[in-house]
Amino acid sequence: MKAQTTAATPPAFTDAVALGALVADARRQGKPIGLVPTMGALHAGHLSLVDTAARECGFTVVTIFVNPTQFGPNEDFASYPRTLDADLQALAGRGIDAVFVPSTDAMYRPGHSTYVEMAGPALVLEGEFRPGHFRGVATVVLKLFNLVRPDRAYFGRKDFQQALLMRRMVEDLNLPIAIEVCPIVREPDGLALSSRNVYLSPDERRRALAISQSLRLARELVERGTTDARTILARMHERLAADDLRVDYVALADPNTLEPVDVVNRPVVAAIAARVGATRLIDNEMLGEASSEK
Ligand code: PAJ
């Protein structure tokens, strides 16, 4: 019998200078540089971004950094799952050239005073319920962009607003980076994969399905001809309440501006943030256009 060979884990860098030298080398060779920013606790959703980046780029960097500045004071920064060894194993054999795992001290040196503040679509939905969140996201992503200098950066549609804001940021700040947005990866029963799903008890895991089912209900209503946003929102709230979810927001919004819509007669994003027990989950779905994520 042949001995089972396990693919080597990609090289992990804590030092941005050493990583930068390797990336510069690849750039000199004319390879397109891809970046996949993550906070680790990697699951199939992250890995779909990783695989797409590895396929499309000549040199691919995955970053793993639990970014303190995007967590609110009462959020789960301290308890956020940190599974570096398993993450590196998960990245083995996927065509990744480097993993960047900076320390918090290196990313935010004493005296750090500069933040990226976004307005407009950053102030609604997640921005309303997690004040300061996107300031932290935009700041850390811009720092990662500057450290790695990718040609393309990959984000998941699971965090629809985040992906939209990253598009805005590169446009507003004239960054020569293409933002690629990948589809939502779901469990077979519909729950969107999330690093936070590990917090759910079996009963909460079952009730969490109300989120994707509420989005599906919205899609079905639109497909059957309902266009009145208030009617659709009421049915979505009803579905979430049936499983005792505490809703932060349920929204039907313009996918570019995130302004609420009254009539669903064009592509609209349906977005939900809700708490199942102590765990806050988000999900979304495009309505009114052919869905590739059924
Ligand atoms: P994190 O939550 O680790 O997610 C990293 C990337 O994976 C994000 O672009 C997210 O949208 C994507 N992702 C997560 N779950 C997914 C799923 N089920 N299907 C498809 N993509 C999914 O988002 C962050 O980290 C951070 O805010 C970060 C951008 C790294 C900045 O700190």
Side-chain angles (χ1 to χ4, degrees):
M1 220 165 72
K2 230 171 125 189
Q4 209 181 337
T5 50
T6 41
T9 55
F13 293 81
T14 50
D15 176 25
V17 178
L19 172 70
L22 200 67
V23 175
D25 227 37
R27 190 175 299 112
R28 270 193 296 274
Q29 291 168 41
K31 294 180 177 171
I33 313 295
L35 174 69
V36 185
T38 82
M39 299 202 297
L42 300 183
H43 52 62
H46 298 114
L47 296 177
S48 74
L49 270 54
V50 166
D51 291 344
T52 306
R55 202 168 53 239
E56 295 181 355
C57 303
F59 189 95
T60 306
V61 181
V62 176
T63 68
I64 298 178
F65 179 62
V66 185
N67 172 38
T69 63
Q70 70 187 76
F71 289 80
N74 298 316
E75 294 184 358
D76 57 343
F77 174 67
S79 58
Y80 196 84
R82 289 163 171 85
T83 60
L84 184 59
D85 289 343
D87 290 349
L88 293 176
Q89 288 300 330
L91 293 172
R94 300 198 106 90
I96 295 308
D97 298 283
V99 185
F100 182 41
V101 192
S103 69
T104 307
D105 292 350
M107 285 297 274
Y108 295 103
R109 286 192 292 263
H112 180 103
S113 312
T114 308
Y115 294 88
V116 179
E117 195 78 57
M118 297 189 70
L123 301 180
V124 297
L125 307 180
E126 289 301 285
E128 185 181 339
F129 286 88
R130 302 184 70 188
H133 171 65
F134 287 125
R135 178 185 197 248
V137 169
T139 301
V140 82
V141 170
L142 181 60
K143 285 168 71 67
L144 294 170
F145 284 174
N146 286 330
L147 290 168
V148 178
R149 299 215 289 121
D151 299 294
R152 297 182 196 144
Y154 293 80
F155 293 88
R157 182 174 269 209
K158 159 76 168 34
D159 299 275
F160 185 93
Q161 189 173 13
Q162 171 172 274
L164 175 78
L165 292 174
M166 295 302 94
R167 282 225 162 107
R168 272 250 64 90
M169 181 173 78
V170 298
E171 199 177 312
D172 291 350
L173 300 182
N174 312 98
L175 304 174
I177 299 170
I179 301 297
E180 307 290 346
V181 183
C182 303
I184 301 176
V185 177
R186 298 179 179 281
E187 299 282 4
D189 63 6
L191 181 71
L193 296 193
S194 162
S195 304
R196 291 189 166 99
N197 291 350
V198 298
Y199 299 148
L200 301 170
S201 71
D203 177 58
E204 290 168 347
R205 168 68 182 78
R206 185 187 54 73
R207 287 161 52 219
L209 274 186
I211 297 175
S212 55
Q213 286 177 359
S214 168
L215 292 169
R216 177 185 299 190
L217 175 64
R219 197 183 64 225
E220 285 167 2
L221 287 168
V222 170
E223 281 169 2
R224 282 194 252 112
T226 309
T227 56
D228 178 46
R230 273 176 57 185
T231 307
I232 300 166
L233 290 170
R235 294 287 304 278
M236 293 173 77
H237 274 286
E238 223 173 79
R239 178 66 197 86
L240 294 164
D243 272 306
D244 258 347
L245 269 60
R246 279 185 301 136
V247 168
D248 271 359
Y249 59 79
V250 176
L252 298 176
D254 180 287
N256 296 311
T257 63
L258 299 184
E259 278 166 15
V261 302
D262 295 328
V263 186
V264 183
N265 54 4
R266 60 195 161 99
V268 158
V269 61
I272 295 176
R275 280 164 217 275
V276 195
T279 305
R280 185 178 186 278
L281 300 175
I282 61 170
D283 197 354
N284 70 85
E285 171 132 7
M286 285 299 297
L287 309 181
E289 69 173 18
S291 170
S292 58
E293 291 171 23
K294 288 191 179 173

